[in-house]
Amino acid sequence: MTVERALVARGLRPSTARRYAIFARRLAASGLGVEAWLAALSDSQVGPALAALRAVAEVCPELGTRPDAGVVRLARRRDRLAQLRRRRPVAGPADLAAALGRAEALTGLRRTATLTALRLAGLAGLRAGDVRRLRWRDLDLASGHVVLPDPKGGRPCRLPLAPSLLAWLRGVRGRPDEAVATTRADGEPVSASTFWRLLKRVGVTPHALRRGFATVLLDRGVPLVTVSKLLNHASPNTTFASYYRPGDDVLSEAVASLEDGKETP
């Protein structure tokens, strides 16, 4: 019996069972522990992913397997969901630079794909799925923009590219129908699991880079509404609540500003 069939036998709809099985396969393919894997997801995915893993753990005995111990622990502590959302990793410029340095040691298509994916996530703030599916025809390298025809939320958008990212893309440009970040000789997008493994090698997740992208811009005074549009969020509230992680230096400067131009009592 497959996971999907076992879930359907428990009363889940086939579409829900299929979605839950996909989450379980992604966890297995990532090579990460369950909490690290959940922490790397977007806020909107954590709840559904955890529900999926709990459901799969419940049918493990019927499949003759043992449930993941980490999932069992999380199932007993529902407060961990909120804690995981608060502990989102953020990869700033230094983390991006370190990951790019590690990627330089790779070879062939793997090197180019990883370096390109890192830059698109860290310098354009693109979601992992958008990076993976992006094709060269979606990039307007003449004007310096990327067009996302089918992003999450169904809101097609056209976003500007940073000068350094644009220069990199012009240097590695492929055929219009080829995926931008691919290790496949036929130019098709890699699978989600392969994409995760590519970035796992250099010690960073695309969503951590996306959060770092948002945090750096907000720390530099870019308006929240502008950053939200760059991330293609439906609401600035999502950007601020789930993506902004001010660093210690920003917090210290904020407190110090209270005394600007005033004598200390």
Side-chain angles (χ1 to χ4, degrees):
M1 179 181 290
T2 65
V3 171
E4 290 182 36
R5 289 181 179 176
L7 291 171
V8 170
R10 286 289 187 103
L12 270 67
R13 293 181 177 179
S15 59
T16 302
R18 185 163 50 252
R19 188 168 65 252
Y20 280 11
I22 289 173
F23 273 121
R25 286 196 292 270
R26 286 178 179 172
L27 169 60
S30 73
L32 301 172
V34 63
E35 291 203 17
W37 181 73
L38 287 168
L41 299 179
S42 65
D43 279 357
S44 61
Q45 286 186 307
V46 172
L50 188 52
L53 298 181
R54 284 171 175 156
V56 171
E58 289 176 1
V59 301
C60 278
E62 300 167 24
L63 300 171
T65 59
R66 297 181 62 181
D68 185 285
V71 175
V72 173
R73 286 196 300 272
L74 286 174
R76 292 172 181 165
R77 294 189 56 196
R78 294 181 180 273
D79 61 308
R80 289 291 291 130
L81 179 59
Q83 291 176 16
L84 283 167
R85 282 177 168 156
R86 287 196 295 270
R87 287 172 50 196
R88 289 281 185 251
V90 175
D95 301 296
L96 174 59
L100 289 170
R102 289 188 287 269
E104 288 286 358
L106 301 175
T107 58
L109 289 175
R110 183 176 297 165
R111 174 183 177 275
T112 303
T114 306
L115 289 170
T116 302
L118 288 171
R119 285 179 166 88
L120 286 168
L123 299 177
L126 299 190
R127 293 181 175 92
D130 291 330
V131 173
R132 187 174 66 83
R133 293 187 297 268
L134 194 69
R135 296 181 186 265
W136 286 104
R137 62 171 177 256
D138 301 321
L139 290 163
D140 184 348
L141 299 182
S143 68
H145 288 80
V146 58
V147 177
L148 303 179
D150 187 28
K152 179 181 176 182
R155 294 179 299 279
C157 60
R158 185 171 184 266
L159 302 171
L161 298 171
S164 62
L165 172 57
L166 183 58
W168 169 263
L169 293 171
R170 285 172 175 165
V172 297
R173 180 186 331 209
R175 298 189 305 271
D177 288 338
E178 282 185 332
V180 174
T182 185
T183 59
R184 293 179 47 158
D186 63 3
E188 287 300 301
V190 296
S191 66
S193 58
T194 298
F195 186 77
W196 273 89
R197 284 196 297 271
L198 277 176
L199 297 185
K200 182 187 174 186
R201 288 174 178 269
V202 293
V204 73
T205 68
H207 221 78
L209 290 169
R210 180 170 159 85
R211 279 188 289 272
F213 172 83
T215 295
V216 167
L217 292 180
L218 290 169
D219 281 349
R220 292 178 179 175
V222 178
L224 176 61
V225 172
T226 301
V227 177
S228 182
K229 286 186 177 297
L230 289 172
L231 294 173
N232 200 29
H233 280 159
S235 167
N237 293 334
T238 301
T239 307
F240 189 75
S242 303
Y243 286 74
Y244 184 42
R245 299 291 186 273
D248 291 341
D249 54 337
V250 175
L251 298 177
S252 297
E253 288 176 11
V255 173
S257 70
L258 292 172
E259 298 179 355
D260 286 350
K262 297 180 180 181
E263 293 185 3
T264 304

Coordinates of all heavy atoms in Angstrom, one line a residue, residues 191-241:
S191 N 14.1 18.9 -10.7 CA 13.0 18.6 -9.8 C 13.3 19.5 -8.5 O 14.3 20.0 -8.3 CB 13.0 17.2 -9.4 OG 14.2 16.8 -8.7
A192 N 12.2 19.6 -7.7 CA 12.3 20.3 -6.5 C 13.3 19.7 -5.5 O 14.1 20.4 -4.9 CB 10.9 20.4 -5.8
S193 N 13.4 18.4 -5.5 CA 14.3 17.7 -4.6 C 15.8 18.0 -5.0 O 16.7 18.2 -4.2 CB 14.1 16.2 -4.5 OG 14.1 15.6 -5.8
T194 N 16.0 17.9 -6.4 CA 17.4 18.2 -6.9 C 17.8 19.7 -6.6 O 18.9 20.0 -6.2 CB 17.4 18.0 -8.4 OG1 17.1 16.6 -8.6 CG2 18.8 18.3 -9.0
F195 N 16.8 20.6 -6.7 CA 17.1 22.0 -6.4 C 17.5 22.2 -5.0 O 18.4 22.9 -4.7 CB 15.8 22.8 -6.8 CG 16.0 24.3 -6.7 CD1 16.7 25.0 -7.7 CD2 15.6 25.0 -5.6 CE1 16.9 26.4 -7.6 CE2 15.8 26.4 -5.5 CZ 16.4 27.0 -6.5
W196 N 16.8 21.5 -4.1 CA 17.1 21.6 -2.6 C 18.5 21.1 -2.4 O 19.3 21.7 -1.6 CB 16.1 20.8 -1.8 CG 14.9 21.6 -1.4 CD1 13.7 21.8 -2.1 CD2 14.7 22.5 -0.3 NE1 12.9 22.6 -1.5 CE2 13.5 23.0 -0.3 CE3 15.5 22.7 0.8 CZ2 13.0 23.9 0.6 CZ3 15.1 23.6 1.8 CH2 13.8 24.2 1.7
R197 N 18.8 20.0 -3.0 CA 20.1 19.4 -2.8 C 21.3 20.3 -3.3 O 22.3 20.4 -2.7 CB 20.2 18.0 -3.5 CG 19.5 16.9 -2.7 CD 20.0 15.5 -3.2 NE 19.7 15.3 -4.6 CZ 18.5 14.8 -5.1 NH1 17.6 14.4 -4.2 NH2 18.3 14.6 -6.4
L198 N 21.0 21.0 -4.4 CA 22.0 21.9 -5.0 C 22.4 23.0 -3.9 O 23.6 23.2 -3.7 CB 21.4 22.6 -6.2 CG 21.5 21.9 -7.6 CD1 20.8 22.8 -8.6 CD2 23.0 21.7 -8.0
L199 N 21.4 23.5 -3.3 CA 21.6 24.6 -2.4 C 22.1 24.1 -1.0 O 22.8 24.8 -0.2 CB 20.4 25.5 -2.2 CG 20.0 26.2 -3.5 CD1 18.9 27.2 -3.3 CD2 21.2 27.0 -4.1
K200 N 21.6 22.9 -0.7 CA 22.1 22.3 0.6 C 23.6 22.2 0.6 O 24.3 22.3 1.7 CB 21.4 20.9 0.8 CG 21.8 20.3 2.1 CD 21.3 18.9 2.2 CE 21.8 18.2 3.5 NZ 21.4 16.8 3.5
R201 N 24.2 21.9 -0.5 CA 25.7 21.8 -0.6 C 26.4 23.0 -0.2 O 27.6 22.9 0.2 CB 26.1 21.4 -2.1 CG 25.7 20.0 -2.5 CD 26.0 19.9 -4.0 NE 25.7 18.5 -4.5 CZ 26.6 17.5 -4.5 NH1 27.8 17.7 -4.1 NH2 26.2 16.4 -5.0
V202 N 25.8 24.2 -0.4 CA 26.5 25.4 0.0 C 25.9 26.0 1.3 O 26.2 27.2 1.6 CB 26.4 26.4 -1.2 CG1 27.2 25.9 -2.4 CG2 24.9 26.7 -1.6
G203 N 25.1 25.3 2.0 CA 24.7 25.6 3.3 C 23.7 26.8 3.5 O 23.7 27.5 4.5
V204 N 22.8 26.9 2.5 CA 21.8 28.0 2.7 C 20.5 27.6 2.0 O 20.5 26.7 1.1 CB 22.3 29.3 2.0 CG1 22.4 29.2 0.5 CG2 21.6 30.5 2.5
T205 N 19.4 28.2 2.4 CA 18.1 27.9 1.7 C 17.7 29.1 0.9 O 17.9 30.3 1.4 CB 17.0 27.5 2.7 OG1 16.7 28.6 3.5 CG2 17.5 26.4 3.6
P206 N 16.9 29.0 -0.2 CA 16.5 30.1 -0.9 C 15.6 31.0 -0.1 O 15.6 32.2 -0.3 CB 15.8 29.5 -2.2 CG 15.6 28.1 -1.8 CD 16.6 27.7 -0.8
H207 N 14.8 30.4 0.8 CA 13.8 31.3 1.5 C 14.6 32.1 2.6 O 14.2 33.2 2.9 CB 12.7 30.5 2.2 CG 11.4 31.2 2.0 ND1 10.7 31.2 0.9 CD2 10.7 31.9 2.9 CE1 9.5 31.8 1.1 NE2 9.6 32.3 2.3
A208 N 15.7 31.6 3.1 CA 16.5 32.4 4.0 C 17.1 33.6 3.3 O 17.2 34.7 3.8 CB 17.6 31.5 4.7
L209 N 17.5 33.4 2.0 CA 18.0 34.5 1.2 C 16.9 35.5 0.9 O 17.2 36.7 0.9 CB 18.6 33.9 -0.1 CG 19.9 33.1 0.1 CD1 20.3 32.4 -1.2 CD2 21.1 34.0 0.5
R210 N 15.8 35.0 0.6 CA 14.6 35.9 0.3 C 14.3 36.7 1.6 O 14.0 37.9 1.4 CB 13.4 35.0 -0.1 CG 12.1 35.8 -0.4 CD 11.2 34.8 -1.0 NE 9.8 35.2 -1.0 CZ 9.2 36.0 -1.9 NH1 9.9 36.5 -2.9 NH2 7.9 36.4 -1.7
R211 N 14.3 36.1 2.8 CA 14.1 36.9 4.0 C 15.2 37.9 4.2 O 15.0 39.1 4.6 CB 14.0 36.0 5.2 CG 12.6 35.4 5.3 CD 12.5 34.6 6.6 NE 13.2 33.4 6.6 CZ 12.8 32.2 6.2 NH1 11.6 32.1 5.7 NH2 13.6 31.2 6.2
G212 N 16.5 37.5 3.9 CA 17.6 38.4 4.0 C 17.5 39.6 3.0 O 17.8 40.7 3.4
F213 N 17.0 39.3 1.8 CA 16.7 40.4 0.8 C 15.8 41.4 1.4 O 16.0 42.6 1.3 CB 16.2 39.7 -0.4 CG 15.7 40.6 -1.5 CD1 16.5 41.2 -2.4 CD2 14.3 40.9 -1.6 CE1 16.1 42.0 -3.4 CE2 13.8 41.8 -2.6 CZ 14.7 42.3 -3.5
A214 N 14.7 41.0 2.0 CA 13.7 41.9 2.5 C 14.3 42.7 3.7 O 14.1 43.9 3.8 CB 12.4 41.1 3.0
T215 N 15.0 42.0 4.6 CA 15.5 42.6 5.8 C 16.5 43.7 5.4 O 16.5 44.8 6.0 CB 16.1 41.6 6.7 OG1 15.1 40.7 7.2 CG2 16.8 42.2 7.9
V216 N 17.4 43.4 4.5 CA 18.4 44.4 4.1 C 17.8 45.7 3.5 O 18.1 46.8 3.9 CB 19.4 43.8 3.1 CG1 20.3 44.9 2.4 CG2 20.3 42.8 3.7
L217 N 16.8 45.5 2.6 CA 16.1 46.6 2.0 C 15.4 47.5 3.1 O 15.4 48.7 3.1 CB 15.1 46.2 1.0 CG 15.7 45.6 -0.3 CD1 14.6 45.1 -1.3 CD2 16.7 46.5 -1.0
L218 N 14.7 46.8 4.0 CA 13.9 47.5 5.0 C 14.9 48.3 6.0 O 14.6 49.4 6.4 CB 13.0 46.6 5.8 CG 11.8 46.1 5.0 CD1 11.1 44.9 5.7 CD2 10.8 47.2 4.7
D219 N 16.0 47.6 6.3 CA 17.0 48.2 7.2 C 17.6 49.5 6.5 O 18.0 50.4 7.2 CB 18.1 47.3 7.5 CG 17.7 46.3 8.6 OD1 16.7 46.5 9.2 OD2 18.5 45.3 8.8
R220 N 17.6 49.5 5.2 CA 18.2 50.6 4.5 C 17.2 51.7 4.2 O 17.5 52.7 3.4 CB 18.9 50.1 3.2 CG 20.1 49.3 3.4 CD 20.7 48.8 2.2 NE 21.9 48.0 2.5 CZ 22.7 47.3 1.6 NH1 22.3 47.3 0.3 NH2 23.7 46.6 2.0
G221 N 16.0 51.6 4.7 CA 15.0 52.6 4.6 C 14.1 52.5 3.4 O 13.3 53.4 3.1
V222 N 14.1 51.4 2.7 CA 13.2 51.3 1.5 C 11.8 51.1 2.1 O 11.6 50.3 3.0 CB 13.6 50.0 0.7 CG1 12.6 49.8 -0.5 CG2 15.0 50.2 0.1
P223 N 10.8 51.8 1.6 CA 9.5 51.7 2.1 C 8.9 50.3 2.1 O 9.2 49.5 1.2 CB 8.6 52.6 1.2 CG 9.6 53.6 0.7 CD 10.9 52.8 0.5
L224 N 8.2 49.9 3.1 CA 7.6 48.6 3.3 C 6.8 48.2 2.1 O 6.9 47.1 1.6 CB 6.7 48.5 4.5 CG 6.0 47.2 4.8 CD1 7.0 46.0 4.9 CD2 5.1 47.3 6.0
V225 N 6.0 49.1 1.6 CA 5.1 48.8 0.4 C 6.0 48.5 -0.8 O 5.6 47.6 -1.6 CB 4.2 50.0 0.1 CG1 3.5 49.8 -1.2 CG2 3.2 50.3 1.2
T226 N 7.1 49.1 -1.0 CA 8.0 48.9 -2.1 C 8.6 47.5 -2.0 O 8.6 46.7 -3.0 CB 9.1 49.9 -2.2 OG1 8.5 51.2 -2.3 CG2 10.1 49.6 -3.4
V227 N 9.1 47.1 -0.8 CA 9.7 45.8 -0.6 C 8.6 44.7 -0.8 O 8.9 43.7 -1.4 CB 10.3 45.7 0.9 CG1 10.8 44.3 1.1 CG2 11.4 46.8 1.0
S228 N 7.4 45.0 -0.3 CA 6.3 44.0 -0.5 C 6.1 43.7 -2.0 O 5.8 42.6 -2.4 CB 5.1 44.5 0.2 OG 4.0 43.6 0.1
K229 N 6.1 44.8 -2.8 CA 5.9 44.6 -4.2 C 7.1 43.9 -4.9 O 6.8 43.0 -5.8 CB 5.7 46.0 -4.9 CG 4.4 46.7 -4.6 CD 4.2 47.9 -5.4 CE 2.8 48.5 -5.2 NZ 1.7 47.6 -5.7
L230 N 8.3 44.1 -4.4 CA 9.4 43.4 -4.9 C 9.3 41.9 -4.6 O 9.8 41.0 -5.4 CB 10.7 44.0 -4.4 CG 11.1 45.4 -4.9 CD1 12.3 45.9 -4.1 CD2 11.4 45.3 -6.4
L231 N 8.7 41.6 -3.5 CA 8.6 40.2 -3.1 C 7.3 39.6 -3.7 O 7.0 38.4 -3.5 CB 8.5 40.0 -1.6 CG 9.8 40.4 -0.8 CD1 9.6 40.4 0.7 CD2 10.9 39.4 -1.2
N232 N 6.5 40.4 -4.3 CA 5.2 40.0 -4.9 C 4.3 39.4 -3.9 O 3.6 38.4 -4.1 CB 5.4 38.9 -6.0 CG 4.2 38.9 -7.0 OD1 3.5 39.8 -7.2 ND2 4.0 37.7 -7.5
H233 N 4.2 40.1 -2.7 CA 3.3 39.7 -1.7 C 2.0 40.4 -1.9 O 1.9 41.5 -2.4 CB 3.8 40.2 -0.3 CG 4.9 39.3 0.3 ND1 5.8 39.7 1.2 CD2 5.2 38.0 0.0 CE1 6.6 38.6 1.5 NE2 6.2 37.6 0.8
A234 N 0.9 39.7 -1.4 CA -0.4 40.3 -1.6 C -0.7 41.4 -0.6 O -1.4 42.4 -0.9 CB -1.5 39.2 -1.3
S235 N 0.1 41.4 0.5 CA -0.1 42.5 1.5 C 1.2 42.8 2.2 O 2.0 41.9 2.4 CB -1.1 42.0 2.6 OG -1.1 42.9 3.7
P236 N 1.5 44.1 2.4 CA 2.7 44.5 3.2 C 2.8 43.9 4.6 O 3.8 43.7 5.1 CB 2.6 46.0 3.3 CG 1.7 46.4 2.1 CD 0.7 45.3 2.0
N237 N 1.6 43.5 5.1 CA 1.6 42.9 6.4 C 2.3 41.6 6.4 O 3.0 41.2 7.4 CB 0.1 42.6 6.9 CG -0.7 43.9 7.1 OD1 -0.1 44.9 7.5 ND2 -2.0 43.8 7.0
T238 N 2.2 40.8 5.3 CA 3.0 39.5 5.2 C 4.5 39.8 5.2 O 5.2 39.1 5.9 CB 2.6 38.8 3.9 OG1 1.2 38.6 3.9 CG2 3.4 37.5 3.8
T239 N 4.9 40.8 4.5 CA 6.3 41.2 4.4 C 6.9 41.5 5.8 O 7.9 41.0 6.2 CB 6.5 42.4 3.5 OG1 5.9 42.1 2.2 CG2 8.0 42.7 3.2
F240 N 6.1 42.4 6.5 CA 6.7 42.8 7.8 C 6.6 41.8 8.9 O 7.6 41.6 9.6 CB 5.8 44.0 8.3 CG 6.4 44.7 9.5 CD1 7.6 45.5 9.3 CD2 5.9 44.5 10.7 CE1 8.1 46.1 10.4 CE2 6.4 45.2 11.8 CZ 7.6 46.0 11.7
A241 N 5.5 41.0 8.9 CA 5.4 40.0 10.0 C 6.2 38.8 9.8 O 6.7 38.2 10.8 CB 3.9 39.6 10.1

